Every structure is written in structure tokens, then in C-alpha cells.
């Protein structure tokens, strides 16, 4: 089983046949849309969000078609029982990887660039080698490293040793493979980093897998750093994380904050009501302070959550059939987005 | 110490210039227009960088090659020279405006010819003190040259607009005809001229005729196996690049990687650095690799596909033997391969039967978007689109029928020139009785003064065989803990 196949199968298993195959594609490719973001949350699949960033729609369709053809996916859109044993090692890999594209995709890229350039720069200074071509060409990261170095001043080698210890500690808790990938990607004064392809050859793994594991190790480092304010790694983070909203949902939120109703937002922005509804669902899931009580009476919210829990499904159609006739799809989505955290999550178990 | 030596020491850490660099630097410091035909990799950049850093004001360096700009900037940054920047269409709007804001504090601005021809850029340049203009790859200005770029024709007018600063033109390959054209188009008056021979005496030249793709692959593997490198293998497509890389990884004992436009930036930079650093023996690449790459010890250049003309050939083999040591270049010549430069040639010219449609497209788009529209709507290559956009811009009032007729003639003329050059290349490859070096020099109007040894296959030389123990590849990969320590502290700190 190839990495991409395994990830598609795992995504379909998590979606339990309650979403279309296209939802699995959007999830894996990490499309930042309201629907995908709520899917990632409801189906506890933040660790798959953007797991295959380079996968295009055509490739996805080709792979899925072949999976159906081989009988690995059943007509209902879920993986066949016969394949579950071969999926298990991959599920374990996902579980251990620490990947969280939903929370850390963009932070991860930035964090990596800073760390990689910082290490390259420090090691050159430490080993008294002045000239080098920065392995990270991004201007913002270069500025950041420059500022960091001048703020540390004479203490830079102390910081460097601390950074080394912190990283070694954190890498020791990862799988051997992930630590290897992370370290071999880095460049120092005497050794140059390896490309993803070179690492994949050294470790006899696929490139997509190496990429996923690298991102996973970066996300793990970030998670650790977030909880340890005293560390150098913590200094490499951007402080004050704001909730991740899509740009367009953020705009809708700006309108809501100005007192616009849903319909008024749609009119002012010249967008369809259904699009604005998507934004509402996304905002409800992301912003804790955002109340949906005006839109869905609390009693109805409770009924929806209970139905979802007792039927153990997020399939909107099934829920709608079970609920009062005046419960709209929009109400169901809002309630689940809001409540997915509390009632939903506890009743579901991750396989 | 005189001022020049002082500056040389301060910025570059050298105590003296090479003999042929000295007079060029002097002329430019004096403010005399200069034309220099120097072989690639001969330390041309210092010839204008040093005077630029010493002058009070801004020097514009017009360069068509993004990678070249990047490399030179990186090198300057590595030397802590901050008063240098680049401006080109691949930069973000923020980056661009940052550069324009600090224009008056810059000494060197690398700019693409397209950007230089934008009216608002010219206006901004008029506000600062431009003291010198440098045109790199100056042969692009001539339609007799092998890489004519219409944007280059706008450099002359810009020079006048910014107050006629001193002008320096550099190229590695220019026939006498092209040299004349450069001087005329750049409006150079009685320039100082430094014309060096295109002959690279320390590069032995070989051509091996093959009768099939299979044979070519076999030859490639055989040659590479006996040549530890460092070396470059030139091919024309990404696909072939990857294919040959795999073949060589499997069949030879060397560290081989591919380099082409399909790789992401990070991988490209990494492979370039690995090659520079000596981690790689052979890079299979498209001809964008090696431009501006300062690796002195490249031992060979192998053309798996032959180039479209003698100028390109000279340029590409010029990446070998820059350290002065004996190097060699070989072409694996397969007659059918001629289709590749032919197709390339066609794609770089506006298709004659689409001129009408192109005129309509251009008529409905804004002037600055014409090129982009031709690329997107008609699927033309950038070179072809620029060609057309330039002529439309130059003759805004001409009647359609007249213009199209005119254009068609221009296109045919260009094709004729290109075909002529390709023919010369093929004749050189097929030649089996005249010294290859003599014949190559003839193309550039030069005579062979002294035959080096080794010279070429016709003169009886052969590709050197250097057997290398075949287990280079079996390097053990260190455990990550050790690698991490080495990354930070280097290899000495082993038992701390
Ligand atoms: Zn000869």
C-alpha cells in the first residue's frame, strides 16, 4: 500500500461514508474552505488536514478509482474490512507523527524557515566561518534571524547551546525516522542539508511520506514550544496566535461585528446566502465567544447534539429526518460546529 | 595603498586584480564606455562591482538571467555588501516597493530588462544619481546574436533618459558583427574594447557520434563511470533530466542529482550548494544550471543533447575548467536530435499563421499586458510574445495589413538567421577532418594561434579515463544525534 493510498483510505474511514469522496480530497489537500475546516473538526481529522498538499484532483481521482477497482473501498465509500490490517501500520504512523495541518500549517512553514536559518547562521558564527549562502531566501525570516542575533548579543552561544539541548530532547521523543528526517533536512557550517528526495532514497520511503513526517516533527516541536515559555524554541514562535479563519469568513465576521444580519452581509458582499451560511458555520466552530443562540434556540441546539450522539452520525440528511420539521440544515451545522467540542467529541473514539 | 587596492581589500578581501581585470576597472572608474568580451567564469563581475562600489551614486546592472542576479546578490551579501539589491518581476509588490524606496542608498541595482523599460521605473531612476550602466549578456541586444531580446533595445533610450551615464557592456560570446551592433544599440561613443579569445585552451573538445538513443545512454554511463567529476550533463527536458539521473544513480558509482525548473526552490538551492560543496559528483541539468555558478573545479561538460548554436556551446562548455586545470567537453551526437533545437527555434518565433489572431488579441489588451495575453490566450512562448509586442509598440500607427506583412518578413528573417546558426553547429559536429578548435574559432572570426595538447578528437586526443574506487556511495549515514551535534558545533567537538 502506498502512502497516498493509505492516507486516502484513512480519510474515507474517518468520514464514515457520510461525506463524498471529494470531501476527502479537500481534507487531504488542505483546502481552506468553511466546509473542509468543519469536516476536519467534526471527524477528528486535523492530523489529515493538508497531509497531501501536492495532490491534485486528477491524481486523487485516479488513485480512488483504482482503490474501488481493487475492492479496497466498498461502494458505500468506506474502506473494506479486508484491508484494515494493511491500514493499521499507516494509522499508527499518522497517530505518532504529531502532524496537525489544521492548526500549524502556516505557522509550521514559518517556524521551519526561522529554525533552519537560525541554525545555519549560528553554526557558521560558532565555527568562525563567515561567508555562506542562506539556505532560506525568504526576506522576513532573514530579518527575524538578524533581530534575534542582535537581541542575544554576547549571549548568542549560550542560546545556541540551549537550542541544541532543547531540540535534542524533543527529537528523542519522536520516532527514530522522524528525528532523522528533521535533522538531515538542516544545514550547518560543515554539512549541507538533504533534499526530500535524497532522504526518501536514504530511508527507502516515499517522498510524500517524508514530507508528512517532516511537517509532523515541526508541528511537534511547535506544540512543545508553546507550552514552554522559557525556551529558545518558544522564542521562534510568533506570539499571540489568532484563530484561523479563512480570509472571506474573516470579512463576514467583520460585518457581523458591525451588527449586520446574515442576509445583510450577503447583500453587502454580493455573495450567495448559502456562502455566508458556510462562513457562519466556520466562525461558530472557531470563535468560542461567538454565540449562535440568536440563530438556533438553545433547546433546538441541544436536540441536534443529542440526535448526533445517539445516532452516532454527522450525516446531515439522517439527522434532519430524525429532528423536528422546522430544524434547518443550517441550524444542524451550526449546532454541531458549536457543540462538536463538548458532546460530540467525547462520544466519539479515535480508532 | 591606492584607493582601488584599498577598496578591493575592503570589499572583496583581495590584494590585487588579475591582469585583464585591471584596465577594465580603470576605464570604468574614469567613466569611459567599455565593451568587454570575456570568457565565462573569468571574474567578470568584479570588473563592474568594484568601480560601482567606489563611485558616488547608483550603478544599474541589466541582466536577463534571474539565477545570475540571485547568485551575484548572494555573493555580495556573503561579503557583507549591503548596498545592493535586485528588481524583477518575480519579486512581490512589497519587495519591489522596498527596493524603490531605498534606491538613493544603493550602489548596485540588478534589474531585468523588462523592468527597466517600465515608464514609472525610468521616472524613479531620473530622481537619483545614476553614474553607470552595466549590460550583462550584451549580445542579447543584437538580432544577429543567438539570443535576441527585444527588451534590450530599450536600454539605449533609458540611458539617455537618466542622463547618459557611463556604459559598460559584457558578453562571453559575440561575433564581430554582434560587437558592432552592441556598440550602436547602446549608443557607445569610442568605447574602450577588451576582446578576449573565445578559445578555452584547457578544455579538450570531443564529439562522439551515436546511432541510437540506446547507444547514447550506454556511452553516457561508460564515460561517467570513468570520470569521477565534478561534471555536468546537459539535456533539454526535465523528463530526460530525471530519467538520466536515475540511470546514472543505478549504473555508476557516483553521487548524481538532477537540476531543472520543475524542482521547488528549496531543492534547487540545496542541489546547487551540494554541488559547490563537493557532495555531488555529477549534475544532470537543463542549461539554466551553471549560469553564474562559481564552481572552479568542474572537470567536464557532457552534452547529451547538442546546443542550438556555437555561441550556446561555447557558453555551456565554459563552465568547465575555470580553475585553469585540464578539463574536457564532449557531445554525444545523434543525428535525429536536431529536432530538439528545431522545435525550440520554432517555439521562440511567433507562428506566422497566427499573426492575425495575435494582432486582434493585442488590439484588445492594454499595452503592458500584451505579452501576458499572447502567452495566455494563444499559448505562445515568452520569447515569441515579446517579439510581437515589441514591434506593435514600435509602430503604433501602422495599418494592420502593412504591419502584418512587415512582421511576417521579420519573422522569416529571424528564422533564417537561426537556421543558419544551427547549420553551422551541425556542420561542426559532423566534421571529421578539421581540428574542432580551429573550426570553432573560425565561427567567431578568430584564427587558431597555438594548438594545445590535448586539443580535440580529430587531433588525436581521447577522453581521459580516471578509474575511481567504486564504493564512494557506501558512505555510512550517521545517526541523527551525531549529525545534529555536527550541524551545530562542527566535527571537532567530538568528545566534549
Ligand atoms: Zn584540434
Amino acid at each position: 500500500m502506498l502512502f497516498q493510498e493509505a492516507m486516502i483510505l484513512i480519510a474515507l474511514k474517518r468520514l464514515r461514508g457520510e461525506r463524498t469522496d471529494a470531501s476527502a480530497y479537500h481534507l487531504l489537500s488542505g483546502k481552506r474552505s468553511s466546509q473542509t475546516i468543519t469536516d476536519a473538526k467534526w471527524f477528528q481529522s486535523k492530523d489529515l488536514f493538508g497531509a497531501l498538499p501536492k495532490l491534485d484532483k486528477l491524481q486523487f481521482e485516479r488513485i480512488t478509482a483504482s482503490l474501488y477497482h481493487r475492492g479496497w473501498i466498498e461502494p458505500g465509500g468506506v474502506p473494506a474490512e479486508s484491508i484494515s490490517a494493511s491500514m493499521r501500520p499507516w494509522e499508527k504512523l499518522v497517530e505518532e507523527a504529531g502532524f496537525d495541518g489544521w492548526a500549524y500549517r502556516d505557522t509550521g512553514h514559518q517556524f521551519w524557515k526561522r529554525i533552519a536559518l537560525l541554525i545555519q547562521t549560528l553554526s557558521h558564527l560558532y565555527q568562525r566561518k563567515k561567508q555562506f549562502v542562506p539556505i532560506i531566501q525568504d526576506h522576513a525570516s532573514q530579518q527575524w534571524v538578524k533581530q534575534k542575533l542582535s537581541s542575544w548579543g554576547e549571549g548568542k552561544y549560550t542560546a545556541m547551546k540551549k537550542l541544541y539541548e532543547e531540540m535534542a530532547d524533543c527529537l528523542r521523543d519522536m520516532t527514530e525516522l522522524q528525528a532523522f528526517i528533521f535533522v538531515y533536512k538542516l544545514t550547518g557550517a560543515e554539512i549541507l542539508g538533504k533534499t526530500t528526495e535524497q532522504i526518501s532514497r536514504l530511508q527507502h520511503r516515499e517522498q510524500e511520506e517524508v514530507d508528512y513526517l517532516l511537517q509532523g516533527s515541526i508541528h511537534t516541536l511547535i506544540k512543545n514550544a508553546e507550552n514552554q515559555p522559557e525556551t529558545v524554541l518558544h522564542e521562534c514562535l510568533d506570539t499571540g496566535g489568532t484563530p484561523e479563519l479563512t480570509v472571506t469568513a474573516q470579512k463576514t465576521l467583520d460585518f457581523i461585528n458591525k451588527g449586520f444580519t446574515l442576509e445583510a452581509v450577503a447583500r453587502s458582499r454580493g455573495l450567495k446566502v448559502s456562502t455566508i451560511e458556510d462562513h457562519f458555520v466556520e466562525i461558530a466552530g472557531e470563535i468560542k465567544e461567538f454565540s449562535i443562540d440568536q440563530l438556533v434556540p438553545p433547546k433546538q441546539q441541544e436536540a441536534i447534539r443529542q440526535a448526533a450522539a445517539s445516532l452516532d452520525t454527522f450525516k446531515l440528511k439522517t439527522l434532519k429526518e430524525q429532528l423536528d420539521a422546522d430544524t434547518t440544515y443550517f441550524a444542524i451545522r451550526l449546532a454541531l460546529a458549536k457543540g462538536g467540542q463538548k458532546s460530540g467529541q467525547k462520544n466519539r473514539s479515535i480508532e | 595603498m591606492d584607493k582601488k587596492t584599498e577598496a578591493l581589500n575592503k570589499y572583496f578581501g583581495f590584494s590585487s586584480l588579475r591582469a585583464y581585470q585591471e584596465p577594465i576597472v580603470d576605464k570604468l572608474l574614469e567613466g569611459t564606455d567599455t565593451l568587454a568580451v570575456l570568457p565565462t567564469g573569468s571574474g567578470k563581475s568584479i570588473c563592474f562591482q568594484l568601480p560601482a562600489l567606489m563611485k558616488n551614486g547608483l550603478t544599474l546592472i541589466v541582466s536577463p538571467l534571474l539565477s545570475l542576479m540571485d547568485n551575484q546578490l548572494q555573493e555580495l551579501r556573503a561579503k557583507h555588501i549591503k548596498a545592493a539589491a535586485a528588481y524583477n518581476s518575480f519579486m512581490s509588490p512589497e519587495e519591489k516597493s522596498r527596493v524603490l524606496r531605498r534606491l538613493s542608498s544603493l550602489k548596485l541595482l540588478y534589474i531585468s530588462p523588462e523592468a527597466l523599460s517600465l515608464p514609472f521605473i525610468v521616472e524613479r531612476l531620473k530622481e537619483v544619481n545614476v553614474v553607470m550602466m552595466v549590460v550583462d549578456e550584451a549580445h542579447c541586444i543584437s538580432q544577429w546574436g543567438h539570443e535576441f531580446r527585444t527588451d534590450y533595445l530599450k536600454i539605449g533610450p533609458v540611458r539617455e533618459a537618466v542622463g547618459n551615464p557611463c556604459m559598460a557592456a559584457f558578453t562571453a560570446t559575440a561575433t564581430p558583427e554582434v560587437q558592432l551592433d552592441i556598440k550602436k544599440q547602446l549608443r557607445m561613443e569610442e568605447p574602450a574594447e577588451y576582446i578576449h579569445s573565445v578559445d578555452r585552451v584547457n578544455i579538450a573538445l570531443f564529439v562522439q557520434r551515436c546511432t541510437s538513443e540506446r547507444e547514447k545512454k550506454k556511452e553516457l554511463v561508460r564515460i561517467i563511470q570513468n570520470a569521477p567529476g565534478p561534471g555536468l550533463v546537459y539535456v533539454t527536458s526535465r523528463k530526460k533530466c530525471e530519467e538520466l539521473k536515475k540511470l546514472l544513480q543505478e549504473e555508476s558509482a557516483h553521487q548524481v542529482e538532477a537540476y531543472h525548473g520543475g524542482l521547488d526552490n528549496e531543492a534547487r538551492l540545496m542541489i546547487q550548494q551540494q554541488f559547490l560543496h563537493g557532495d555531488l559528483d555529477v549534475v544532470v541539468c537543463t542549461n539554466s544550471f551553471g549560469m553564474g555558478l562559481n564552481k572552479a573545479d568542474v572537470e567536464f561538460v557532457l552534452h547529451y543533447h547538442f546546443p542550438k548554436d556555437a555561441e550556446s556551446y561555447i557558453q555551456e562548455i565554459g563552465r568547465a575548467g575555470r580553475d585553469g586545470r585540464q578539463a574536457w567537453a564532449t557531445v554525444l551526437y545523434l543525428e535525429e536530435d536536431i529536432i530538439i533545437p528545431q522545435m525550440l527555434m520554432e517555439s521562440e518565433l511567433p507562428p506566422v499563421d497566427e499573426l492575425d489572431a495575435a494582432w486582434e488579441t493585442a488590439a484588445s489588451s492594454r499595452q503592458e499586458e500584451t505579452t501576458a495575453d499572447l502567452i495566455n490566450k494563444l499559448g505562445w512562448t515568452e520569447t515569441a510574445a515579446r517579439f510581437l509586442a515589441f514591434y506593435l509598440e514600435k509602430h503604433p500607427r501602422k495599418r494592420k495589413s502593412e504591419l502584418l506583412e512587415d512582421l511576417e518578413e521579420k519573422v522569416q528573417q529571424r528564422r533564417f538567421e537561426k537556421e543558419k546558426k544551427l547549420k553551422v553547429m551541425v556542420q561542426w559536429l559532423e566534421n571529421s577532418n578539421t581540428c574542432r578548435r580551429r573550426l570553432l574559432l573560425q565561427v567567431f572570426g578568430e584564427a587558431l594561434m597555438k594548438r594545445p595538447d590535448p586539443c580535440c578528437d580529430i587531433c588525436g586526443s581521447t577522453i581521459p579515463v580516471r578509474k575511481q574506487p567504486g564504493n564512494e556511495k557506501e558512505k555510512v549515514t550517521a545517526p541523527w544525534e551525531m549529525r545534529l551535534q555536527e550541524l551545530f558545533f562542527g566535527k571537532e567537538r567530538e568528545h566534549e
Side-chain angles (χ1 to χ4, degrees):
Chain A
M1 191 182 291
L2 295 170
F3 180 71
Q4 290 187 330
E5 294 173 346
M7 296 308 263
I8 292 172
L9 287 167
I10 295 172
L12 290 173
K13 181 174 172 185
R14 302 258 188 95
L15 295 174
R16 309 194 300 181
E18 295 179 8
R19 290 288 182 275
T20 58
D21 293 352
S23 302
Y25 170 69
H26 292 313
L27 180 64
L28 290 169
S29 63
K31 186 181 169 209
R32 279 227 183 270
S33 75
S34 301
Q35 190 51 54
T36 310
I37 290 173
T38 32
D39 279 353
K41 226 172 149 179
W42 289 359
F43 295 101
Q44 318 242 320
S45 295
K46 295 174 186 178
D47 52 359
L48 296 182
F49 184 81
L52 299 173
K54 286 178 190 146
L55 184 71
D56 66 47
K57 194 77 198 268
L58 227 75
Q59 268 176 301
F60 173 81
E61 276 161 7
R62 205 171 34 74
I63 299 172
T64 346
S66 125
L67 292 174
Y68 274 106
H69 182 76
R70 278 179 262 168
W72 291 10
I73 309 178
E74 285 172 347
V78 288
E81 190 49 41
S82 58
I83 207 71
S84 64
S86 345
M87 278 174 70
R88 206 145 295 140
W90 293 107
E91 288 175 297
K92 186 160 174 283
L93 177 134
V94 170
E95 218 172 277
E96 289 174 346
F99 183 95
D100 187 346
W102 185 76
Y104 297 127
R105 180 171 61 184
D106 301 334
T107 339
H109 292 322
Q110 188 203 40
F111 185 76
W112 166 255
K113 285 193 254 178
R114 289 178 174 184
I115 291 274
L117 190 60
L118 186 63
I119 291 175
Q120 190 192 15
T121 312
L122 281 171
S123 76
H124 273 85
L125 291 170
Y126 182 84
Q127 296 173 48
R128 311 256 176 266
K129 290 182 181 142
K130 272 195 182 150
Q131 299 193 359
F132 67 92
V133 174
I135 212 68
I136 302 295
Q137 297 281 309
D138 165 57
H139 182 78
S141 310
Q142 295 182 351
Q143 286 302 110
W144 181 86
V145 169
K146 216 185 272 170
Q147 278 161 13
K148 207 75 273 181
L149 286 178
S150 75
S151 82
W152 283 334
E154 294 299 303
K156 62 175 175 283
Y157 296 127
T158 319
M160 169 181 162
K161 281 169 194 156
K162 224 175 130 212
L163 177 64
Y164 168 74
E165 299 295 340
E166 287 169 22
M167 281 187 41
D169 277 348
C170 196
L171 289 166
R172 244 170 250 130
D173 290 336
M174 293 181 199
T175 62
E176 220 23 53
L177 177 60
Q178 268 186 298
F180 182 95
I181 295 172
F182 184 87
V183 172
Y184 271 77
K185 266 274 178 180
L186 290 167
T187 294
E190 283 174 357
I191 14 186
L192 283 162
K194 302 268 179 223
T195 64
T196 304
E197 198 199 324
Q198 288 168 336
I199 294 178
S200 80
R201 277 204 306 271
L202 285 173
Q203 290 288 344
H204 309 286
R205 302 276 177 154
E206 293 166 71
Q207 286 191 53
E208 290 83 4
E209 183 187 349
V210 170
D211 256 334
Y212 180 78
L213 292 175
L214 173 69
Q215 296 307 321
S217 60
I218 295 169
H219 299 169
T220 307
L221 279 170
I222 298 179
K223 261 178 272 177
N224 273 316
E226 279 178 343
N227 299 325
Q228 296 170 310
E230 303 300 306
T231 57
V232 179
L233 282 169
H234 187 86
E235 287 186 57
C236 300
L237 294 169
D238 254 343
T239 43
T242 44
E244 288 281 352
L245 281 182
T246 56
V247 177
T248 177
Q250 181 61 50
K251 267 192 199 145
T252 293
L253 180 60
D254 294 342
F255 277 96
I256 298 170
N257 288 337
K258 283 184 204 146
F260 281 60
T261 63
L262 197 153
E263 290 75 17
V265 179
R267 258 199 314 280
S268 311
R269 297 198 57 193
L271 293 171
K272 277 191 268 178
V273 169
S274 62
T275 308
I276 305 298
E277 284 183 354
D278 285 345
H279 297 166
F280 269 66
V281 174
E282 186 187 336
I283 294 165
E286 286 302 301
I287 314 271
K288 279 205 187 76
E289 303 78 39
F290 182 79
S291 166
I292 58 164
D293 295 354
Q294 298 284 318
L295 299 157
V296 192
K299 251 191 168 164
Q300 200 178 41
Q301 287 181 40
E302 201 40 46
I304 295 168
R305 279 176 210 134
Q306 263 172 21
S310 65
L311 295 171
D312 191 23
T313 186
F314 285 140
K315 207 165 188 169
L316 300 180
K317 201 161 164 250
T318 318
L319 289 172
K320 176 123 171 61
E321 279 161 7
Q322 192 66 29
L323 290 156
D324 291 342
D326 66 336
T327 316
T328 61
Y329 279 117
F330 182 45
I332 299 175
R333 291 172 59 205
L334 275 177
L336 290 178
K338 201 76 212 161
Q341 302 286 53
K342 297 176 211 125
S343 54
Q345 212 155 31
K346 277 185 193 136
N347 294 334
R348 310 281 310 276
S349 60
I350 312 171
E351 273 135 335
Chain B
M1 229 188 310
D2 67 345
K3 270 194 180 153
K4 197 171 62 186
T5 320
E6 206 174 295
L8 187 64
N9 229 314
K10 177 175 159 204
Y11 294 117
F12 300 97
F14 302 149
S15 53
S16 65
L17 287 163
R18 285 187 236 167
Y20 60 86
Q21 292 170 331
E22 192 96 38
I24 302 177
V25 170
D26 288 341
K27 286 290 170 200
L28 292 179
L29 280 174
E30 244 171 62
T32 309
D33 287 356
T34 302
L35 169 66
V37 182
L38 298 175
T40 25
S42 55
K44 129 190 101 177
S45 50
I46 206 165
C47 294
F48 58 80
Q49 284 170 347
L50 183 63
L53 288 164
M54 291 175 68
K55 283 175 189 247
N56 273 325
L58 179 68
T59 293
L60 299 173
I61 299 124
V62 187
S63 172
L65 302 165
L66 221 62
S67 54
L68 210 101
M69 275 195 210
D70 278 350
N71 282 332
Q72 293 207 1
L73 268 183
Q74 279 167 13
E75 282 174 21
L76 289 171
R77 296 229 171 97
K79 295 189 169 77
H80 302 283
I81 295 170
K82 307 238 165 70
Y87 190 99
N88 59 55
S89 54
F90 286 84
M91 290 160 57
S92 70
E94 298 85 62
E95 286 175 305
K96 284 187 196 168
S97 62
R98 190 169 45 235
V99 169
L100 290 186
R101 271 201 310 276
R102 53 186 283 246
L103 216 50
S104 53
S105 68
L106 289 177
K107 293 230 162 165
L108 298 114
L109 179 68
Y110 287 86
I111 189 163
S112 60
E114 307 88 86
L116 189 68
S117 59
L118 298 171
F120 77 93
I121 297 280
V122 178
E123 285 310 308
R124 183 73 185 90
L125 287 172
K126 280 188 200 167
E127 293 165 16
V128 296
N129 179 24
V130 179
V131 284
M132 181 161 69
M133 279 176 83
V134 177
V135 179
D136 201 2
E137 310 289 329
H139 56 266
C140 294
I141 206 168
S142 171
Q143 54 173 323
W144 318 118
H146 62 299
E147 288 168 326
F148 177 47
R149 293 175 59 118
T150 48
D151 283 315
Y152 263 66
L153 292 176
K154 294 174 187 159
I155 301 174
V158 171
R159 180 188 185 190
E160 258 165 35
V162 299
N164 257 320
C166 154
M167 172 70 80
F170 288 85
T171 173
T173 44
T175 56
E177 197 181 22
V178 173
Q179 290 169 23
L180 267 176
D181 214 15
I182 292 173
K183 288 185 274 185
K184 184 177 133 219
Q185 302 289 358
L186 291 177
R187 305 173 190 197
M188 295 173 121
E189 278 167 34
E190 297 178 19
E193 296 183 28
Y194 299 93
I195 316 293
H196 288 242
S197 168
V198 294
D199 190 17
R200 295 285 307 275
V201 287
N202 65 325
I203 304 178
L205 308 173
F206 305 98
V207 175
Q208 275 168 283
R209 214 180 168 118
C210 300
T211 49
S212 69
E213 186 72 21
R214 240 187 68 161
E215 188 191 333
K216 231 168 47 157
K217 278 188 194 154
K218 246 174 78 185
E219 262 314 282
L220 173 74
V221 171
R222 190 187 62 81
I223 294 173
I224 300 289
Q225 250 167 354
N226 293 325
L232 297 171
V233 174
Y234 278 109
V235 296
T236 40
S237 74
R238 293 172 189 181
K239 220 181 109 200
K240 205 71 194 180
C241 237
E242 288 292 334
E243 186 192 329
L244 296 184
K245 171 195 82 173
K246 257 194 113 205
L247 178 75
L248 290 173
Q249 279 174 348
E250 283 160 10
E251 304 285 325
S252 85
H254 303 311
Q255 298 289 341
V256 182
E257 283 298 339
Y259 181 101
H260 51 76
L263 299 175
D264 58 33
N265 283 336
E266 196 202 63
R268 273 215 301 262
L269 188 64
M270 207 67 105
I271 285 169
Q272 215 180 68
Q273 293 305 311
Q274 290 174 349
F275 187 57
L276 271 177
H277 194 246
D279 292 358
L280 300 177
D281 306 312
V282 176
V283 175
V284 185
C285 53
T286 52
N287 65 5
S288 62
F289 187 77
M291 294 212 178
L293 181 83
N294 275 330
K295 184 170 173 66
D297 62 346
V298 175
E299 195 201 347
F300 69 86
V301 166
L302 186 150
H303 279 94
Y304 191 83
H305 294 134
F306 64 86
K308 65 188 190 340
D309 47 47
E311 286 98 324
S312 308
Y313 176 71
I314 287 272
Q315 235 171 31
E316 286 163 19
I317 66 165
R319 286 156 199 156
R322 289 185 184 176
D323 55 4
R325 284 196 288 194
Q326 186 60 49
W328 52 273
T330 192
V331 183
L332 298 183
Y333 174 53
L334 178 64
E335 225 179 293
E336 294 108 90
D337 283 348
I338 194 168
I339 186 92
I340 298 165
Q342 270 171 347
M343 273 166 60
L344 184 75
M345 193 166 84
E346 282 306 321
S347 74
E348 285 180 346
L349 290 167
V352 173
D353 53 350
E354 287 177 22
L355 286 178
D356 208 311
W359 191 87
E360 297 295 338
T361 306
S364 65
S365 56
R366 289 194 300 156
Q367 199 182 55
E368 59 273 29
E369 282 160 10
T370 308
T371 311
D373 282 348
L374 291 172
I375 296 171
N376 297 331
K377 291 184 185 156
L378 297 178
W380 286 13
T381 61
E382 198 184 326
T383 324
R386 280 192 194 293
F387 187 94
L388 190 93
F390 176 78
Y391 281 103
L392 290 179
E393 204 184 312
K394 204 173 165 197
H395 306 287
R397 308 221 175 279
K398 253 191 194 167
R399 281 209 334 273
K400 180 183 167 186
S401 60
E402 200 185 336
L403 191 84
L404 290 186
E405 217 170 280
D406 215 35
L407 254 167
E408 195 174 327
E409 202 190 302
K410 285 268 178 339
V411 172
Q412 301 297 14
Q413 206 178 37
R414 261 324 269 148
R415 171 174 298 119
F416 180 72
E417 289 299 328
K418 285 178 177 235
E419 274 168 357
K420 214 165 74 185
K421 283 177 183 298
L422 178 58
K423 217 163 128 192
V424 170
M425 185 72 217
V426 171
Q427 272 168 359
W428 184 81
L429 290 164
E430 299 209 323
N431 150 61
S432 59
N433 44 38
T434 313
C435 167
R436 293 201 189 278
R437 191 173 301 272
R438 179 187 300 280
L439 212 55
L440 190 62
L441 288 177
Q442 246 170 43
V443 178
F444 295 90
E446 284 186 47
L448 179 64
M449 297 309 206
K450 190 172 161 268
R451 193 190 308 264
D453 182 35
C455 177
C456 67
D457 52 321
I458 310 243
C459 290
S461 310
T462 48
I463 294 179
V465 174
R466 270 212 287 141
K467 282 271 186 235
Q468 182 88 347
N471 45 14
E472 266 297 282
K473 215 181 256 181
E474 299 304 310
K475 280 180 199 150
V476 204
T477 44
W480 69 261
E481 287 94 340
M482 194 194 282
R483 175 105 174 172
L484 186 67
Q485 200 174 61
E486 281 177 14
L487 270 171
F488 275 83
F489 308 106
K491 285 182 179 141
E492 291 110 56
R493 201 194 108 139
E494 260 161 28
H495 305 288
E496 215 176 287

